[in-house]
Amino acid sequence: RERERERLDERKTGDASGFEVVTMASGLDEKEVARKMKELGIDTDNDPQKDAILKATLAKLDKILTAKSTFEAVMDDLHPLVRARVEKLRELQLTYDTLEDQYLEEQRQLVLKYERLYQPLYDTRTDIVSGKKDGEIAAAGAEGESKEGEGEGEEDVPVGVPEFWAFCMKNNDVVTELITDKDNEVLRYLKDIRYELLGSNLNEEEEEKKKKSGDEDEDDDDDDEDEEELGFKLYFEFGENPFFSNDVLVKTYRMVDEEEGILERSEGSTIRWKPGKNVTVKVMRKKNKKGSGRSKGPPMTKTEKCDSFFNFFSPPDPEELFGMEEEDEDDVDEEEMEALQDALQEDYEIGCIFKDKIIPHAVSWFTGEALSDDEEEEEGDEDEDEDEDEEDVSVRAQSNSQANTSEASLQGEQPECKQQ
Protein backbone atom coordinates (compact mmCIF):
# COMPACT_ATOMS: atom_id res chain seq x y z
CA ARG A 1 0.00 0.00 0.00
CA GLU A 2 2.92 2.35 0.78
CA ARG A 3 4.43 1.66 -2.67
CA GLU A 4 1.08 2.51 -4.25
CA ARG A 5 1.04 5.73 -2.24
CA GLU A 6 4.52 6.60 -3.51
CA ARG A 7 3.52 6.02 -7.13
CA LEU A 8 0.45 8.13 -6.52
CA ASP A 9 2.51 10.97 -5.09
CA GLU A 10 4.95 10.83 -8.01
CA ARG A 11 2.13 11.47 -10.48
CA LYS A 12 0.69 14.36 -8.47
CA THR A 13 1.67 17.93 -9.16
CA GLY A 14 2.28 20.61 -6.56
CA ASP A 15 -1.47 21.30 -6.89
CA ALA A 16 -3.20 19.36 -4.14
CA SER A 17 -6.44 19.31 -6.06
CA GLY A 18 -5.55 16.46 -8.42
CA PHE A 19 -3.28 14.78 -10.96
CA GLU A 20 -1.04 16.23 -13.56
CA VAL A 21 -3.14 17.35 -16.52
CA VAL A 22 -2.80 14.86 -19.38
CA THR A 23 -4.25 16.01 -22.68
CA MET A 24 -4.68 13.18 -25.15
CA ALA A 25 -4.65 13.31 -28.93
CA SER A 26 -8.44 13.17 -29.03
CA GLY A 27 -8.73 16.17 -26.71
CA LEU A 28 -9.79 14.17 -23.66
CA ASP A 29 -8.60 15.79 -20.42
CA GLU A 30 -7.83 13.22 -17.73
CA LYS A 31 -8.08 15.77 -14.93
CA GLU A 32 -11.47 17.01 -16.14
CA VAL A 33 -12.80 13.46 -16.45
CA ALA A 34 -11.55 12.63 -12.94
CA ARG A 35 -13.27 15.74 -11.57
CA LYS A 36 -16.56 14.83 -13.22
CA MET A 37 -16.34 11.31 -11.85
CA LYS A 38 -15.67 12.67 -8.39
CA GLU A 39 -18.86 14.72 -8.64
CA LEU A 40 -20.66 11.45 -9.36
CA GLY A 41 -19.20 9.89 -6.22
CA ILE A 42 -16.30 8.01 -7.85
CA ASP A 43 -13.04 9.23 -6.30
CA THR A 44 -9.98 8.23 -8.34
CA ASP A 45 -7.58 10.56 -6.50
CA ASN A 46 -7.01 8.26 -3.56
CA ASP A 47 -7.95 4.90 -5.07
CA PRO A 48 -5.17 3.46 -7.29
CA GLN A 49 -7.43 0.69 -8.61
CA LYS A 50 -10.11 3.09 -9.81
CA ASP A 51 -7.43 5.36 -11.20
CA ALA A 52 -5.94 2.49 -13.21
CA ILE A 53 -9.37 1.59 -14.60
CA LEU A 54 -9.96 5.22 -15.55
CA LYS A 55 -6.63 5.48 -17.35
CA ALA A 56 -7.17 2.23 -19.24
CA THR A 57 -10.65 3.33 -20.28
CA LEU A 58 -9.45 6.74 -21.40
CA ALA A 59 -6.59 5.20 -23.37
CA LYS A 60 -8.97 2.88 -25.24
CA LEU A 61 -11.47 5.69 -25.85
CA ASP A 62 -8.68 7.96 -27.06
CA LYS A 63 -7.57 5.27 -29.50
CA ILE A 64 -11.11 4.94 -30.88
CA LEU A 65 -11.63 8.68 -31.19
CA THR A 66 -8.31 9.32 -32.92
CA ALA A 67 -8.62 6.36 -35.30
CA LYS A 68 -9.61 7.20 -38.86
CA SER A 69 -12.24 4.46 -38.81
CA THR A 70 -13.80 1.82 -36.59
CA PHE A 71 -11.77 -0.72 -38.53
CA GLU A 72 -8.48 0.89 -37.46
CA ALA A 73 -9.63 1.09 -33.85
CA VAL A 74 -10.54 -2.61 -33.79
CA MET A 75 -7.41 -3.76 -35.62
CA ASP A 76 -5.04 -1.69 -33.47
CA ASP A 77 -6.51 -3.25 -30.37
CA LEU A 78 -5.79 -6.83 -31.53
CA HIS A 79 -2.75 -8.98 -30.75
CA PRO A 80 -0.41 -8.96 -33.79
CA LEU A 81 -0.96 -12.67 -34.47
CA VAL A 82 -4.74 -12.32 -34.19
CA ARG A 83 -4.54 -9.27 -36.45
CA ALA A 84 -2.79 -11.36 -39.13
CA ARG A 85 -5.58 -13.98 -38.94
CA VAL A 86 -8.25 -11.31 -39.29
CA GLU A 87 -6.44 -9.90 -42.33
CA LYS A 88 -6.60 -13.36 -43.89
CA LEU A 89 -10.33 -13.49 -43.20
CA ARG A 90 -10.69 -10.09 -44.88
CA GLU A 91 -8.95 -11.46 -47.98
CA LEU A 92 -11.47 -14.32 -48.08
CA GLN A 93 -14.32 -11.84 -47.70
CA LEU A 94 -12.96 -9.75 -50.57
CA THR A 95 -12.92 -12.85 -52.80
CA TYR A 96 -16.49 -13.64 -51.78
CA ASP A 97 -17.63 -10.07 -52.49
CA THR A 98 -16.06 -10.23 -55.96
CA LEU A 99 -17.88 -13.47 -56.74
CA GLU A 100 -21.14 -12.04 -55.42
CA ASP A 101 -20.78 -8.99 -57.68
CA GLN A 102 -20.22 -11.32 -60.64
CA TYR A 103 -23.30 -13.32 -59.67
CA LEU A 104 -25.49 -10.23 -59.44
CA GLU A 105 -24.24 -8.93 -62.79
CA GLU A 106 -24.84 -12.29 -64.50
CA GLN A 107 -28.27 -12.46 -62.88
CA ARG A 108 -29.12 -8.99 -64.21
CA GLN A 109 -27.93 -9.91 -67.70
CA LEU A 110 -30.06 -13.08 -67.57
CA VAL A 111 -33.09 -10.99 -66.58
CA LEU A 112 -32.43 -8.58 -69.46
CA LYS A 113 -32.03 -11.51 -71.88
CA TYR A 114 -35.45 -12.87 -71.03
CA GLU A 115 -37.01 -9.42 -71.05
CA ARG A 116 -36.03 -9.24 -74.73
CA LEU A 117 -37.63 -12.65 -75.30
CA TYR A 118 -40.83 -11.59 -73.52
CA GLN A 119 -41.21 -8.38 -75.52
CA PRO A 120 -42.54 -9.93 -78.79
CA LEU A 121 -45.17 -11.79 -76.74
CA TYR A 122 -46.25 -8.55 -75.06
CA ASP A 123 -46.43 -6.82 -78.47
CA THR A 124 -48.64 -9.59 -79.90
CA ARG A 125 -50.86 -9.45 -76.81
CA THR A 126 -51.29 -5.68 -77.32
CA ASP A 127 -52.32 -6.26 -80.94
CA ILE A 128 -54.91 -8.87 -79.92
CA VAL A 129 -56.38 -6.73 -77.16
CA SER A 130 -56.57 -3.64 -79.39
CA GLY A 131 -58.21 -5.58 -82.25
CA LYS A 132 -55.35 -5.49 -84.76
CA LYS A 133 -55.36 -9.30 -84.91
CA ASP A 134 -59.13 -9.70 -85.22
CA GLY A 135 -58.93 -10.57 -88.92
CA GLU A 136 -56.21 -13.19 -88.40
CA ILE A 137 -57.76 -15.04 -85.47
CA ALA A 138 -60.18 -17.74 -86.58
CA ALA A 139 -60.92 -20.52 -84.09
CA ALA A 140 -63.48 -23.32 -84.33
CA GLY A 141 -65.11 -22.16 -81.10
CA ALA A 142 -65.42 -18.61 -82.37
CA GLU A 143 -67.00 -19.86 -85.64
CA GLY A 144 -69.55 -21.90 -83.66
CA GLU A 145 -70.45 -18.89 -81.57
CA SER A 146 -70.88 -16.77 -84.70
CA LYS A 147 -73.36 -19.34 -86.08
CA GLU A 148 -75.39 -19.18 -82.89
CA GLY A 149 -75.55 -15.40 -83.18
CA GLU A 150 -76.36 -15.20 -86.90
CA GLY A 151 -79.06 -12.62 -86.21
CA GLU A 152 -76.55 -10.13 -84.88
CA GLY A 153 -75.07 -7.59 -87.24
CA GLU A 154 -71.35 -7.08 -87.70
CA GLU A 155 -71.62 -3.75 -85.95
CA ASP A 156 -72.44 -5.61 -82.72
CA VAL A 157 -69.16 -7.54 -82.74
CA PRO A 158 -66.77 -5.85 -80.28
CA VAL A 159 -63.26 -4.94 -81.39
CA GLY A 160 -60.43 -6.78 -79.66
CA VAL A 161 -61.02 -7.46 -75.96
CA PRO A 162 -62.96 -4.51 -74.47
CA GLU A 163 -61.82 -3.19 -71.07
CA PHE A 164 -59.19 -5.93 -70.87
CA TRP A 165 -56.80 -4.05 -68.59
CA ALA A 166 -59.57 -2.54 -66.47
CA PHE A 167 -60.77 -6.05 -65.59
CA CYS A 168 -57.18 -7.18 -64.91
CA MET A 169 -56.75 -4.37 -62.40
CA LYS A 170 -60.13 -4.86 -60.73
CA ASN A 171 -59.48 -8.59 -60.26
CA ASN A 172 -56.38 -7.88 -58.20
CA ASP A 173 -57.44 -7.58 -54.56
CA VAL A 174 -54.88 -4.83 -53.80
CA VAL A 175 -55.31 -2.62 -56.87
CA THR A 176 -59.11 -2.88 -56.84
CA GLU A 177 -59.13 -1.14 -53.45
CA LEU A 178 -57.79 1.99 -55.17
CA ILE A 179 -60.43 2.08 -57.93
CA THR A 180 -63.57 4.17 -57.43
CA ASP A 181 -66.76 4.32 -59.50
CA LYS A 182 -65.50 7.48 -61.22
CA ASP A 183 -62.22 5.72 -62.05
CA ASN A 184 -64.13 2.94 -63.82
CA GLU A 185 -65.31 5.40 -66.44
CA VAL A 186 -61.75 6.55 -67.13
CA LEU A 187 -60.24 3.04 -67.16
CA ARG A 188 -62.54 2.03 -70.02
CA TYR A 189 -60.10 3.94 -72.25
CA LEU A 190 -56.98 2.11 -70.97
CA LYS A 191 -55.42 0.36 -73.98
CA ASP A 192 -52.19 -1.12 -72.63
CA ILE A 193 -49.90 -1.40 -69.59
CA ARG A 194 -46.23 -2.21 -69.96
CA TYR A 195 -43.02 -1.79 -68.01
CA GLU A 196 -39.37 -1.06 -68.74
CA LEU A 197 -36.35 -1.85 -66.58
CA LEU A 198 -34.17 1.21 -66.14
CA GLY A 199 -30.72 0.78 -67.61
CA SER A 200 -31.95 -1.71 -70.23
CA ASN A 201 -32.99 0.75 -72.94
CA LEU A 202 -30.02 -0.07 -75.23
CA ASN A 203 -30.85 -3.28 -77.08
CA GLU A 204 -28.43 -5.48 -79.02
CA GLU A 205 -29.25 -3.94 -82.43
CA GLU A 206 -28.53 -0.42 -81.18
CA GLU A 207 -25.26 -1.59 -79.64
CA GLU A 208 -24.22 -3.16 -82.96
CA LYS A 209 -25.03 0.07 -84.79
CA LYS A 210 -22.89 2.03 -82.34
CA LYS A 211 -19.95 -0.35 -82.85
CA LYS A 212 -20.20 -0.08 -86.65
CA SER A 213 -20.52 3.70 -86.59
CA GLY A 214 -17.55 4.06 -84.24
CA ASP A 215 -19.56 6.08 -81.71
CA GLU A 216 -19.07 3.58 -78.91
CA ASP A 217 -16.19 5.44 -77.24
CA GLU A 218 -18.00 8.78 -77.33
CA ASP A 219 -21.00 7.37 -75.49
CA ASP A 220 -19.09 5.40 -72.87
CA ASP A 221 -20.02 7.88 -70.15
CA ASP A 222 -23.71 7.73 -71.11
CA ASP A 223 -23.60 3.92 -71.11
CA ASP A 224 -22.13 3.95 -67.60
CA GLU A 225 -24.95 6.19 -66.44
CA ASP A 226 -27.54 3.83 -67.97
CA GLU A 227 -25.95 0.79 -66.34
CA GLU A 228 -25.91 2.48 -62.94
CA GLU A 229 -29.59 3.44 -63.19
CA LEU A 230 -31.75 1.02 -61.19
CA GLY A 231 -35.50 0.64 -61.03
CA PHE A 232 -38.35 0.43 -63.51
CA LYS A 233 -41.03 2.43 -65.33
CA LEU A 234 -44.71 1.63 -65.78
CA TYR A 235 -46.51 2.91 -68.89
CA PHE A 236 -50.31 3.25 -68.95
CA GLU A 237 -51.47 3.96 -72.53
CA PHE A 238 -54.90 5.49 -73.03
CA GLY A 239 -57.04 6.08 -76.07
CA GLU A 240 -58.59 9.46 -76.78
CA ASN A 241 -60.98 10.22 -73.95
CA PRO A 242 -63.03 13.06 -72.45
CA PHE A 243 -61.06 13.09 -69.16
CA PHE A 244 -57.44 14.09 -69.94
CA SER A 245 -55.22 14.82 -72.91
CA ASN A 246 -52.26 12.56 -72.03
CA ASP A 247 -51.73 9.60 -74.35
CA VAL A 248 -49.48 7.82 -71.83
CA LEU A 249 -49.19 8.12 -68.06
CA VAL A 250 -45.80 7.07 -66.67
CA LYS A 251 -44.82 5.98 -63.16
CA THR A 252 -41.09 5.71 -62.45
CA TYR A 253 -39.46 3.93 -59.51
CA ARG A 254 -35.79 4.78 -58.95
CA MET A 255 -34.03 2.29 -56.71
CA VAL A 256 -30.95 2.51 -54.52
CA ASP A 257 -30.70 -1.28 -54.22
CA GLU A 258 -32.97 -3.62 -56.18
CA GLU A 259 -31.91 -6.73 -54.27
CA GLU A 260 -32.86 -5.18 -50.93
CA GLY A 261 -35.85 -3.33 -52.37
CA ILE A 262 -34.56 0.09 -51.23
CA LEU A 263 -36.46 2.86 -53.00
CA GLU A 264 -34.82 6.22 -53.69
CA ARG A 265 -37.96 7.93 -54.98
CA SER A 266 -40.93 7.48 -57.31
CA GLU A 267 -42.23 9.94 -59.89
CA GLY A 268 -45.52 10.18 -61.78
CA SER A 269 -46.77 11.98 -64.86
CA THR A 270 -48.64 15.23 -64.44
CA ILE A 271 -52.14 14.46 -65.64
CA ARG A 272 -53.59 17.17 -67.90
CA TRP A 273 -57.21 16.96 -66.80
CA LYS A 274 -59.88 18.51 -68.99
CA PRO A 275 -62.11 21.12 -67.31
CA GLY A 276 -64.43 19.57 -64.77
CA LYS A 277 -63.13 16.01 -65.39
CA ASN A 278 -60.54 15.60 -62.63
CA VAL A 279 -61.60 12.45 -60.72
CA THR A 280 -58.97 12.97 -58.00
CA VAL A 281 -60.79 15.98 -56.51
CA LYS A 282 -64.33 16.77 -55.54
CA VAL A 283 -65.85 20.22 -55.91
CA MET A 284 -67.74 21.59 -52.91
CA ARG A 285 -70.29 24.28 -53.73
CA LYS A 286 -71.52 26.59 -51.01
CA LYS A 287 -74.57 28.77 -51.56
CA ASN A 288 -74.24 32.44 -50.64
CA LYS A 289 -76.18 33.46 -47.54
CA LYS A 290 -79.27 35.56 -48.03
CA GLY A 291 -78.77 39.17 -47.22
CA SER A 292 -75.03 39.14 -47.97
CA GLY A 293 -73.63 41.40 -50.58
CA ARG A 294 -72.69 38.44 -52.75
CA SER A 295 -76.09 36.72 -52.58
CA LYS A 296 -76.75 37.40 -56.27
CA GLY A 297 -73.37 36.14 -57.42
CA PRO A 298 -72.32 32.58 -58.32
CA PRO A 299 -72.00 30.07 -55.44
CA MET A 300 -68.61 29.68 -53.78
CA THR A 301 -66.67 26.55 -54.75
CA LYS A 302 -63.89 24.67 -53.01
CA THR A 303 -61.98 21.58 -54.17
CA GLU A 304 -60.86 18.76 -51.91
CA LYS A 305 -58.68 15.77 -52.70
CA CYS A 306 -60.59 12.48 -52.84
CA ASP A 307 -59.79 8.79 -53.23
CA SER A 308 -58.89 7.71 -56.76
CA PHE A 309 -56.61 5.25 -58.52
CA PHE A 310 -55.11 8.21 -60.39
CA ASN A 311 -53.55 9.49 -57.15
CA PHE A 312 -51.08 6.69 -57.96
CA PHE A 313 -49.41 9.19 -60.30
CA SER A 314 -48.91 11.70 -57.46
CA PRO A 315 -46.74 9.58 -55.14
CA PRO A 316 -45.60 10.66 -51.68
CA ASP A 317 -42.37 12.62 -51.71
CA PRO A 318 -39.60 10.84 -49.74
CA GLU A 319 -37.89 14.23 -49.30
CA GLU A 320 -40.64 15.01 -46.82
CA LEU A 321 -39.40 12.09 -44.76
CA PHE A 322 -35.64 12.01 -45.38
CA GLY A 323 -34.81 15.52 -46.60
CA MET A 324 -36.14 17.59 -43.75
CA GLU A 325 -33.83 19.50 -41.45
CA GLU A 326 -33.15 18.07 -37.99
CA GLU A 327 -34.94 20.95 -36.29
CA ASP A 328 -38.01 20.25 -38.45
CA GLU A 329 -38.12 16.59 -37.41
CA ASP A 330 -39.06 17.60 -33.86
CA ASP A 331 -42.12 19.45 -35.19
CA VAL A 332 -43.43 16.42 -37.14
CA ASP A 333 -45.86 14.17 -35.32
CA GLU A 334 -44.69 10.56 -34.98
CA GLU A 335 -47.97 9.28 -36.39
CA GLU A 336 -47.53 11.50 -39.45
CA MET A 337 -44.04 10.10 -40.01
CA GLU A 338 -45.35 6.54 -39.77
CA ALA A 339 -48.21 7.35 -42.14
CA LEU A 340 -45.74 8.75 -44.69
CA GLN A 341 -43.50 5.68 -44.37
CA ASP A 342 -46.51 3.40 -44.86
CA ALA A 343 -47.58 5.42 -47.92
CA LEU A 344 -44.12 5.10 -49.49
CA GLN A 345 -44.07 1.36 -48.84
CA GLU A 346 -47.59 0.85 -50.21
CA ASP A 347 -46.80 2.88 -53.33
CA TYR A 348 -43.74 0.72 -54.09
CA GLU A 349 -45.65 -2.53 -53.45
CA ILE A 350 -48.39 -1.50 -55.88
CA GLY A 351 -45.77 -0.75 -58.54
CA CYS A 352 -44.27 -4.21 -58.02
CA ILE A 353 -47.73 -5.81 -58.32
CA PHE A 354 -48.09 -4.27 -61.79
CA LYS A 355 -44.55 -5.23 -62.85
CA ASP A 356 -44.33 -8.73 -61.38
CA LYS A 357 -47.94 -9.94 -61.43
CA ILE A 358 -50.48 -8.09 -63.55
CA ILE A 359 -48.40 -7.31 -66.65
CA PRO A 360 -46.68 -10.73 -67.05
CA HIS A 361 -49.88 -12.72 -66.33
CA ALA A 362 -52.52 -10.32 -67.65
CA VAL A 363 -54.90 -12.85 -69.25
CA SER A 364 -54.98 -14.87 -66.01
CA TRP A 365 -56.07 -11.74 -64.14
CA PHE A 366 -58.69 -11.00 -66.82
CA THR A 367 -60.23 -14.47 -66.53
CA GLY A 368 -59.86 -14.58 -62.73
CA GLU A 369 -57.52 -17.59 -62.75
CA ALA A 370 -54.71 -15.60 -61.13
CA LEU A 371 -57.05 -14.55 -58.34
CA SER A 372 -57.86 -18.22 -57.64
CA ASP A 373 -54.16 -19.07 -57.58
CA ASP A 374 -53.53 -16.25 -55.09
CA GLU A 375 -56.34 -17.50 -52.84
CA GLU A 376 -54.92 -21.04 -52.95
CA GLU A 377 -51.49 -19.73 -51.97
CA GLU A 378 -53.00 -17.78 -49.06
CA GLU A 379 -54.94 -20.87 -47.93
CA GLY A 380 -51.74 -22.90 -48.11
CA ASP A 381 -49.93 -20.33 -45.97
CA GLU A 382 -52.81 -20.34 -43.46
CA ASP A 383 -52.75 -24.16 -43.30
CA GLU A 384 -49.00 -24.08 -42.62
CA ASP A 385 -49.53 -21.53 -39.85
CA GLU A 386 -52.30 -23.67 -38.31
CA ASP A 387 -50.09 -26.78 -38.46
CA GLU A 388 -47.28 -24.87 -36.72
CA ASP A 389 -49.72 -23.63 -34.06
CA GLU A 390 -51.00 -27.19 -33.47
CA GLU A 391 -47.42 -28.44 -33.14
CA ASP A 392 -46.67 -25.69 -30.62
CA VAL A 393 -49.78 -26.59 -28.59
CA SER A 394 -48.87 -30.28 -28.71
CA VAL A 395 -45.33 -29.59 -27.55
CA ARG A 396 -46.55 -27.34 -24.71
CA ALA A 397 -49.13 -29.95 -23.63
CA GLN A 398 -46.51 -32.70 -23.63
CA SER A 399 -44.10 -30.48 -21.67
CA ASN A 400 -46.79 -29.66 -19.10
CA SER A 401 -47.68 -33.35 -18.75
CA GLN A 402 -44.05 -34.27 -18.17
CA ALA A 403 -43.70 -31.46 -15.60
CA ASN A 404 -46.79 -32.63 -13.70
CA THR A 405 -45.55 -36.24 -13.69
CA SER A 406 -42.12 -35.16 -12.40
CA GLU A 407 -43.72 -33.11 -9.63
CA ALA A 408 -45.89 -36.03 -8.54
CA SER A 409 -42.85 -38.32 -8.47
CA LEU A 410 -40.90 -35.87 -6.31
CA GLN A 411 -43.77 -35.82 -3.81
CA GLY A 412 -43.85 -39.60 -3.65
CA GLU A 413 -47.23 -39.79 -5.40
CA GLN A 414 -48.19 -41.82 -8.45
CA PRO A 415 -50.18 -40.09 -11.17
CA GLU A 416 -53.85 -40.91 -10.79
CA CYS A 417 -55.22 -43.34 -13.36
CA LYS A 418 -58.97 -43.10 -14.05
CA GLN A 419 -60.96 -45.82 -15.78
CA GLN A 420 -64.28 -45.27 -17.44
Side-chain angles (χ1 to χ4, degrees):
R1 181 177 298 274
E2 287 298 322
R3 284 197 297 272
E4 291 293 340
R5 288 284 185 185
E6 291 174 0
R7 289 199 300 110
L8 190 62
D9 292 336
E10 288 174 358
R11 290 180 299 176
K12 286 185 178 180
T13 63
D15 184 1
S17 62
F19 296 115
E20 177 184 359
V21 176
V22 180
T23 303
M24 301 185 178
S26 62
L28 289 173
D29 188 330
E30 182 183 359
K31 180 180 177 181
E32 182 64 20
V33 174
R35 186 180 66 79
K36 290 288 186 184
M37 292 183 69
K38 191 171 183 179
E39 290 177 0
L40 296 173
I42 304 173
D43 187 5
T44 59
D45 288 357
N46 301 306
D47 191 328
Q49 186 176 2
K50 291 180 180 178
D51 178 56
I53 294 173
L54 173 62
K55 285 192 171 296
T57 303
L58 287 175
K60 182 167 288 190
L61 184 59
D62 184 66
K63 188 180 294 185
I64 292 172
L65 293 175
T66 55
K68 294 180 181 178
S69 64
T70 305
F71 162 73
E72 287 186 1
V74 172
M75 295 298 283
D76 289 346
D77 202 40
L78 295 176
H79 186 282
L81 294 178
V82 176
R83 191 183 306 134
R85 295 163 195 156
V86 173
E87 288 290 356
K88 187 62 180 178
L89 292 175
R90 294 183 70 244
E91 291 176 10
L92 293 176
Q93 185 64 49
L94 183 60
T95 303
Y96 174 89
D97 292 342
T98 303
L99 291 173
E100 186 179 38
D101 290 342
Q102 292 175 2
Y103 160 73
L104 293 175
E105 178 58 27
E106 289 180 16
Q107 183 187 52
R108 180 170 176 79
Q109 292 303 321
L110 187 63
V111 169
L112 295 178
K113 171 187 173 182
Y114 278 89
E115 288 298 329
R116 297 188 193 99
L117 297 176
Y118 296 150
Q119 194 55 52
L121 305 179
Y122 293 155
D123 293 341
T124 302
R125 181 179 67 189
T126 301
D127 291 343
I128 294 172
V129 170
S130 65
K132 291 182 180 179
K133 295 283 185 180
D134 285 0
E136 301 178 19
I137 300 174
E143 290 176 1
E145 290 175 6
S146 63
K147 289 179 181 179
E148 291 176 3
E150 286 178 354
E152 298 180 2
E154 290 186 3
E155 64 274 12
D156 296 324
V157 179
V159 176
V161 185
E163 299 184 49
F164 176 81
W165 288 104
F167 279 109
C168 292
M169 291 169 59
K170 286 185 281 190
N171 280 338
N172 181 274
D173 58 353
V174 176
V175 177
T176 193
E177 293 292 326
L178 308 176
I179 300 173
T180 66
D181 291 339
K182 289 184 178 180
D183 294 334
N184 284 327
E185 294 298 315
V186 187
L187 292 174
R188 291 175 56 195
Y189 298 92
L190 181 58
K191 295 165 55 178
D192 191 25
I193 309 176
R194 61 187 185 276
Y195 70 87
E196 173 194 354
L197 299 179
L198 298 182
S200 63
N201 55 339
L202 287 179
N203 58 35
E204 293 177 347
E205 293 181 2
E206 289 173 337
E207 289 176 0
E208 287 296 325
K209 289 179 182 178
K210 282 185 176 291
K211 289 179 181 179
K212 291 179 182 179
S213 63
D215 294 337
E216 185 180 8
D217 293 335
E218 296 177 7
D219 294 340
D220 276 350
D221 294 338
D222 294 338
D223 290 350
D224 291 341
E225 289 180 5
D226 290 334
E227 290 175 1
E228 292 173 1
E229 199 171 17
L230 302 176
F232 60 94
K233 286 186 178 183
L234 298 172
Y235 297 89
F236 296 77
E237 184 178 350
F238 287 83
E240 186 176 352
N241 64 81
F243 296 94
F244 49 75
S245 58
N246 307 65
D247 295 327
V248 181
L249 299 180
V250 184
K251 183 67 176 286
T252 305
Y253 291 90
R254 302 190 184 280
M255 308 298 295
V256 176
D257 189 324
E258 287 184 311
E259 290 296 315
E260 299 294 332
I262 302 175
L263 177 69
E264 178 184 352
R265 68 184 185 278
S266 58
E267 306 159 348
S269 293
T270 300
I271 303 177
R272 299 189 295 273
W273 295 102
K274 295 180 180 179
K277 296 295 184 178
N278 188 345
V279 298
T280 66
V281 298
K282 57 183 178 181
V283 180
M284 312 291 289
R285 289 182 173 83
K286 184 178 180 181
K287 293 183 179 179
N288 294 324
K289 294 181 180 180
K290 291 182 180 181
S292 65
R294 296 176 298 178
S295 59
K296 295 182 180 180
M300 297 176 62
T301 60
K302 181 176 68 171
T303 59
E304 290 183 0
K305 189 174 181 179
C306 62
D307 293 337
S308 169
F309 165 73
F310 291 92
N311 290 326
F312 178 65
F313 298 96
S314 300
D317 186 1
E319 291 297 327
E320 295 180 19
L321 182 62
F322 304 112
M324 61 180 62
E325 299 294 334
E326 291 184 5
E327 56 268 18
D328 296 335
E329 291 183 5
D330 298 333
D331 299 333
V332 179
D333 187 78
E334 186 175 347
E335 291 183 1
E336 292 180 4
M337 294 284 284
E338 290 180 359
L340 181 57
Q341 287 177 324
D342 292 342
L344 290 167
Q345 180 66 25
E346 181 182 0
D347 178 68
Y348 175 63
E349 288 176 356
I350 292 170
C352 289
I353 287 173
F354 277 106
K355 179 176 75 75
D356 300 330
K357 291 188 174 184
I358 294 178
I359 295 175
H361 310 288
V363 70
S364 298
W365 288 104
F366 178 81
T367 61
E369 294 169 284
L371 185 59
S372 300
D373 292 341
D374 268 12
E375 289 174 353
E376 289 177 4
E377 287 180 9
E378 288 179 4
E379 289 175 2
D381 293 340
E382 289 175 2
D383 291 340
E384 288 179 6
D385 293 339
E386 288 176 3
D387 291 341
E388 289 177 1
D389 292 341
E390 289 175 2
E391 288 177 6
D392 291 341
V393 171
S394 176
V395 169
R396 287 197 297 271
Q398 183 178 358
S399 176
N400 291 336
S401 176
Q402 290 175 351
N404 292 335
T405 302
S406 300
E407 184 178 354
S409 299
L410 289 171
Q411 296 175 354
E413 299 175 0
Q414 293 298 326
E416 183 181 359
C417 177
K418 295 182 181 179
Q419 294 183 353
Q420 301 295 331

